[in-house]
Amino acid sequence: MIDISEDRLRKLLQIKLSYNSLVDLQNANVYEIRLALNEVIKEIISEQYTNTFADKYSRTYIVSFELMVENLFDDYIEKLNLKTPLQKILQDIYDNVVNMNNDLHLGQSYIGRFSVDLFEKISKQGQFCKVYSIFYKNSQFKQQIFDENQIETVFHEPKTSVVFKRSSEYDIELENNKIKSQIYDIPYINDNTNFIRLFSPKANPHLNYENFIRGKIEEIYSEENKLDSIRQFVYTPQIDEFGKYIKFLQQKFLADSVVEDIFNDEIKFFKNTDKIEDHIQINIVETNVALLIIMFLQKLMDEGYDFEKALEKSNKIFEYFNINLHRESFELMDLSYLYQFDNIKNIIQLINENALKNGYPEIIKDNFLDCFNLIAFVTHSIIVGSEYQKKFLLKSEHVVIDKNIEDKIVIQTYGFNDDLFRNKIEYHDLYYSKLKYKKKLVDKYNLKNINDKSIFNMQLSDFHEGKRQILNVFYILYLYLKLKDNVNTIITPTTFFIGGMSSFDYLFCKKTISLCLGMSKVINSDKLIQEKIKLVFVENIMLDQVPDFAKACDVFNYIPYKNFDISNTYPYAFMNNGSIILTSDSSVYEKMSQLKDTGVFKFDEESFKNSESRCMNFLLKNIELLENKKIINEFYEIYNLILKYNDSFNVINSFDNFVEANGKIQKSYLNENLWNDLMIKNIEISKKFGINYLKDV
């Protein structure tokens, strides 16, 4: 623990302010002080905390495309013993400086959350650990609503979290050109100091973000911007060949940078790589970093090992965490990109021959590299989060699991929402506890004219046709038109919360967001329906805001399509906070029908297939009651897109049953004792779910 005096800390802040902002402490604004404090903390950590005392014989590395890095300032200030002197120096503005919103979200999904939680778990055990990703310029976009449309805006301000720019760089070859891989670190301070290590290509051209906002892909990913494009976005838009190629360059750049860093550590500690397999463990998170295995094998062969020996070492080193369980988890990589490198082509063919020889599926599928089969062959274990997830993996339509692969599948409960939702809802008198949290949510987000005694019905997720936000939006439109048709229609007062972003090239979802926003304005201003229904669009929601909504949520909509998001932890986290779940028969909860009296309401997706929907016919018949041409036109645009693609996500087919399930929820909410019992049941289920709870169901 560092013991720093108030005077010393004040002088350090003043020096950084004078140097960076040319102001003194008395005249500096909150943002200037935050930047200066960032520099001070970096300097203290550099001087005192960069030694790793962990056993050098045991080193763990985690590789992920996404990282969810939350605001570490509170943590740094506590561990560096700076809180008391800093509070005296900053006085009334202390909270504003320290708790400034963090802008270092390197991906917003639970893949990124899991990767960092795994890193923290290992670090807290005192072990040597690094977690790797690319330092994306704008991996998480802010969502801005303009004229009831979503556009993407970027974080223009400098980063305000503690990030070290290292003097060391690695030479990486891309397209026969050598570029510099610049190293950045975010320190994690415990008994030892580990690092989130980020790599960024040193390239000078700047992208035109206006082109991004307007969707001019060909100008964003132009040849002159190619290298810089590598670090622009998590998951580059792959709507054309150039976009797909940029994704490959990201994978290649990250894999090469990670391999160089790992071997640099090994040489530093041991002078050679003779026993590298005894010293390190590499954890791959998801398949989009599978190229790391090939580059690692190549590096071992460059060190003088033959392929068999390199493969033997790699088999002991790599393990794989499968976080998602839908078709995006089983990525295929274009071999034409890979085969431009002769050494990679040779290794792929050698791996394929050895996989077949050892009874594994081949890793070459038509003109693509099968990333999952590559990982399944080379890694020593495939780790999933529950028995239930394992069952879905075994029967997935996107991959064939043979006995060799099945034997490698290990179950480790992830539980990575535990920290996010660590302040559990008060168990005593749940019904009234919810009311307290609902009031807090209304006040914190300055929501106007919201009945906090109404049902808080939420669907918070990135927009995707497979997640069917449109089904919920249609249902809200159905209720509103029912009230317009007959204002005395009986509806349990409900406030709907819908939030999430859409990829900029996703027309269907862009239209859904626009329809939702337009409806929100019309519904919330209609005094004739009073407080029977309200619609709140939650703009630019971030993962670390979700607990506020989870605690206030009465009903959480989890509407995947068949095998989508089987391992998504959101529903369990909301259940753990006493939420009722609305889901489909084909979802992860399909076998819960055998569990009695749970707070899981399901709708059937199949029974109305190829037949007319009573509720959709009602919308078509009464849509003109809206008297809003823009909303009406958007409704028909979406409806016609659904018809054009034969209702491939069962929106119209499910609509009647979705309305019926919501009706049951509305009636149940009126029975306070029943609702309280359902909440308790869901909390109990959420504690057990994901371990072995449904193994024998």
Side-chain angles (χ1 to χ4, degrees):
M1 185 73 75
I2 288 176
D3 187 14
I4 188 167
S5 69
E6 181 183 336
D7 285 343
R8 171 68 177 147
L9 183 56
R10 189 187 300 274
K11 286 177 182 176
L12 285 172
L13 272 172
Q14 186 60 67
I15 290 168
K16 299 300 180 185
L17 280 166
S18 300
Y19 182 77
N20 291 334
S21 306
L22 305 179
V23 294
D24 57 28
L25 187 57
Q26 287 69 36
N27 296 319
N29 61 36
V30 168
Y31 190 68
E32 289 168 336
I33 295 172
R34 169 72 175 222
L35 290 174
L37 180 57
N38 188 60
E39 295 297 313
V40 169
I41 290 174
K42 277 198 283 192
E43 190 167 300
I44 292 172
I45 293 172
S46 293
E47 289 177 359
Q48 305 278 344
Y49 269 81
T50 51
N51 290 325
T52 297
F53 304 107
D55 185 355
K56 63 186 178 183
Y57 289 93
S58 176
R59 307 196 310 280
T60 302
Y61 301 94
I62 302 163
V63 188
S64 175
F65 243 30
E66 295 185 43
L67 296 176
M68 172 63 189
V69 186
E70 294 185 85
N71 195 336
L72 294 173
F73 256 63
D74 276 330
D75 191 51
Y76 290 136
I77 288 167
E78 289 283 353
K79 288 179 177 176
L80 298 175
N81 205 25
L82 300 177
K83 187 171 184 178
T84 299
L86 197 57
Q87 284 177 325
K88 291 178 181 177
I89 293 168
L90 299 181
Q91 298 181 2
D92 293 344
I93 63 171
Y94 173 85
D95 285 335
N96 290 335
V97 172
V98 172
N99 298 318
M100 184 180 291
N101 287 337
N102 182 36
D103 58 0
L104 244 182
H105 294 282
L106 304 171
Q108 271 292 304
S109 83
Y110 43 89
I111 298 173
R113 173 106 203 158
F114 170 80
S115 301
V116 173
D117 278 3
L118 181 63
F119 166 71
E120 289 181 354
K121 180 181 178 181
I122 294 168
S123 297
K124 285 175 181 176
Q125 295 170 352
Q127 296 179 31
F128 180 112
C129 188
K130 291 181 188 175
V131 58
Y132 294 114
S133 189
I134 299 176
F135 200 168
Y136 302 99
K137 278 186 175 178
N138 292 291
S139 56
Q140 175 58 59
F141 289 88
K142 291 190 289 188
Q143 182 185 58
Q144 183 176 333
I145 303 302
F146 183 76
D147 288 342
E148 296 174 12
N149 290 291
Q150 177 203 313
I151 62 173
E152 294 77 20
T153 59
V154 299
F155 293 115
H156 290 295
E157 302 85 2
K159 302 299 181 187
T160 55
S161 290
V162 176
V163 178
F164 292 177
K165 184 177 181 181
R166 295 295 187 193
S167 58
S168 53
E169 300 167 341
Y170 296 126
D171 287 329
I172 304 299
E173 185 176 313
L174 288 176
E175 300 183 309
N176 299 316
N177 296 312
K178 285 197 173 180
I179 62 169
K180 296 288 185 183
S181 178
Q182 175 67 61
I183 298 172
Y184 296 85
D185 281 336
I186 304 172
Y188 182 86
I189 301 171
N190 209 49
D191 292 335
N192 58 312
T193 302
N194 288 329
F195 290 99
I196 296 170
R197 177 150 288 183
L198 309 170
F199 301 102
S200 175
K202 289 188 73 174
N204 295 319
H206 296 290
L207 295 188
N208 183 335
Y209 291 113
E210 289 301 314
N211 288 340
F212 175 82
I213 292 169
R214 295 169 185 161
K216 296 180 180 178
I217 311 301
E218 69 284 355
E219 294 180 35
I220 297 167
Y221 294 105
S222 60
E223 280 294 323
E224 59 267 28
N225 284 334
K226 187 181 292 183
L227 289 181
D228 205 42
S229 299
I230 295 170
R231 63 191 180 118
Q232 293 306 308
F233 320 110
V234 177
Y235 304 124
T236 60
Q238 297 179 59
I239 61 172
D240 59 17
E241 284 305 309
F242 195 77
K244 292 175 183 176
Y245 187 51
I246 292 296
K247 170 73 176 293
F248 164 72
L249 291 182
Q250 284 185 331
Q251 293 165 317
K252 176 74 165 57
F253 171 77
L254 179 60
D256 281 346
S257 300
V258 170
V259 166
E260 288 298 318
D261 198 63
I262 290 173
F263 276 80
N264 183 62
D265 281 347
E266 184 70 6
I267 298 298
K268 180 173 67 178
F269 290 132
F270 298 101
K271 310 304 180 192
N272 59 59
T273 58
D274 290 349
K275 296 184 178 180
I276 190 171
E277 68 274 21
D278 296 333
H279 304 151
I280 70 172
Q281 176 78 64
I282 302 176
N283 299 309
I284 291 179
V285 181
E286 278 305 319
T287 54
N288 47 42
V289 290
L291 195 55
L292 174 68
I293 291 176
I294 293 174
M295 307 320 298
F296 192 86
L297 283 165
Q298 177 62 53
K299 185 70 174 181
L300 284 171
M301 293 172 72
D302 290 345
E303 293 281 312
Y305 301 101
D306 61 26
F307 178 78
E308 284 71 21
K309 189 65 177 177
L311 182 60
E312 180 186 331
K313 286 178 177 288
S314 298
N315 284 146
K316 296 177 181 178
I317 288 170
F318 285 96
E319 65 180 4
Y320 166 55
F321 285 89
N322 181 272
I323 306 303
N324 288 313
L325 200 58
H326 50 68
R327 57 179 170 241
E328 292 169 14
S329 294
F330 310 112
E331 185 171 356
L332 299 175
M333 193 179 300
D334 195 322
L335 287 174
S336 65
Y337 302 155
L338 291 158
Y339 282 176
Q340 65 180 290
F341 303 92
D342 290 335
N343 52 354
I344 292 182
K345 181 176 182 179
N346 178 52
I347 290 175
I348 289 172
Q349 291 172 345
L350 286 170
I351 296 173
N352 196 48
E353 290 170 10
N354 276 265
L356 293 172
K357 184 171 68 177
N358 287 279
Y360 285 83
E362 63 178 331
I363 68 165
I364 297 174
K365 185 175 289 184
D366 298 324
N367 296 317
F368 296 92
L369 172 71
D370 188 315
C371 291
F372 180 84
N373 283 343
L374 166 66
I375 289 172
F377 173 54
V378 177
T379 56
H380 60 80
S381 60
I382 299 167
I383 300 169
V384 297
S386 69
E387 183 73 32
Y388 205 54
Q389 188 184 356
K390 179 178 178 179
K391 287 182 178 180
F392 269 84
L393 181 59
L394 293 178
K395 67 179 184 180
S396 171
E397 64 189 80
H398 307 299
V399 66
V400 177
I401 306 289
D402 66 12
K403 189 68 172 70
N404 285 322
I405 297 174
E406 184 177 351
D407 288 344
K408 290 186 178 184
I409 300 175
V410 178
I411 297 166
Q412 290 182 15
T413 306
Y414 296 144
F416 52 93
N417 266 311
D418 290 351
D419 289 338
L420 181 62
F421 294 90
R422 56 186 171 271
N423 298 318
K424 302 294 189 297
I425 190 170
E426 293 176 16
Y427 210 101
H428 178 67
D429 243 345
L430 283 170
Y431 196 87
Y432 290 100
S433 292
K434 276 288 180 186
L435 182 59
K436 180 178 71 175
Y437 286 114
K438 287 153 83 168
K439 289 178 182 292
K440 283 185 178 179
L441 185 75
V442 169
D443 292 342
K444 182 173 181 177
Y445 291 90
N446 197 28
L447 304 175
K448 304 296 184 184
N449 303 317
I450 298 297
N451 176 7
D452 50 37
K453 294 184 176 65
S454 65
I455 301 172
F456 276 25
N457 184 309
M458 300 187 182
Q459 189 172 15
L460 308 171
S461 176
D462 286 343
F463 274 70
H464 191 297
E465 285 175 84
K467 295 175 182 176
R468 290 179 287 182
Q469 284 92 346
I470 191 58
L471 188 56
N472 209 3
V473 174
F474 279 175
Y475 170 62
I476 299 165
L477 179 58
Y478 173 81
L479 290 182
Y480 181 64
L481 292 178
K482 278 284 200 183
L483 289 168
K484 293 292 285 183
D485 185 49
N486 179 3
V487 75
N488 295 315
T489 298
I490 298 174
I491 293 173
T492 305
T494 304
T495 303
F496 294 93
F497 293 80
I498 296 179
M501 292 177 241
S502 164
S503 173
F504 65 87
D505 56 334
Y506 210 151
L507 176 65
F508 183 93
C509 292
K510 287 285 195 185
K511 290 293 180 183
T512 301
I513 290 172
S514 182
L515 177 62
C516 186
L517 287 160
M519 284 170 48
S520 175
K521 183 179 285 188
V522 169
I523 290 170
N524 297 344
S525 63
D526 193 332
K527 295 181 180 179
L528 291 178
I529 65 168
Q530 298 178 346
E531 294 181 344
K532 290 185 177 179
I533 58 171
K534 294 287 182 183
L535 173 55
V536 177
F537 185 85
V538 185
E539 185 177 344
N540 199 40
I541 188 168
M542 296 290 187
L543 191 58
D544 45 9
Q545 294 173 296
V546 171
D548 296 331
F549 290 85
K551 290 176 174 60
C553 177
D554 293 307
V555 179
F556 183 72
N557 287 260
Y558 177 60
I559 315 175
Y561 179 68
K562 293 187 176 177
N563 277 358
F564 270 74
D565 294 325
I566 250 18
S567 55
N568 194 326
T569 60
Y570 264 28
Y572 320 138
F574 275 78
M575 288 173 78
N576 200 29
N577 284 272
S579 299
I580 305 306
I581 301 295
L582 175 57
T583 189
S584 59
D585 269 343
S586 66
S587 78
V588 67
Y589 295 98
E590 63 180 3
K591 294 189 177 180
M592 278 195 176
S593 58
Q594 297 178 39
L595 303 176
K596 302 298 183 184
D597 303 321
T598 65
V600 178
F601 289 76
K602 294 173 294 182
F603 62 92
D604 186 358
E605 297 191 86
E606 302 298 334
S607 62
F608 283 90
K609 208 157 189 175
N610 302 318
S611 63
E612 288 192 2
S613 164
R614 171 181 53 82
C615 296
M616 182 55 70
N617 285 339
F618 178 84
L619 290 186
L620 294 168
K621 180 180 177 182
N622 293 280
I623 190 70
E624 298 296 332
L625 291 174
L626 283 173
E627 298 179 354
N628 184 305
K629 199 66 179 171
K630 181 177 182 291
I631 296 177
I632 293 170
N633 288 340
E634 284 177 338
F635 165 78
Y636 277 114
E637 280 185 85
I638 294 169
Y639 176 71
N640 289 328
L641 282 170
I642 292 170
L643 294 181
K644 180 179 179 180
Y645 295 104
N646 300 315
D647 196 11
S648 57
F649 289 104
N650 281 347
V651 173
I652 298 173
N653 293 332
S654 305
F655 194 19
D656 287 14
N657 286 328
F658 185 71
V659 171
E660 183 182 350
N662 272 284
K664 291 177 182 176
I665 289 172
Q666 290 197 347
K667 289 179 182 177
S668 298
Y669 186 75
L670 298 174
N671 185 332
E672 183 180 316
N673 291 331
L674 169 62
W675 195 265
N676 208 65
D677 288 344
L678 294 177
M679 293 168 74
I680 292 171
K681 189 78 172 185
N682 276 12
I683 291 172
E684 291 304 313
I685 289 172
S686 72
K687 289 177 180 176
K688 299 173 183 176
F689 194 88
I691 306 174
N692 291 312
Y693 189 51
L694 297 183
K695 181 169 63 175
D696 301 317
V697 173

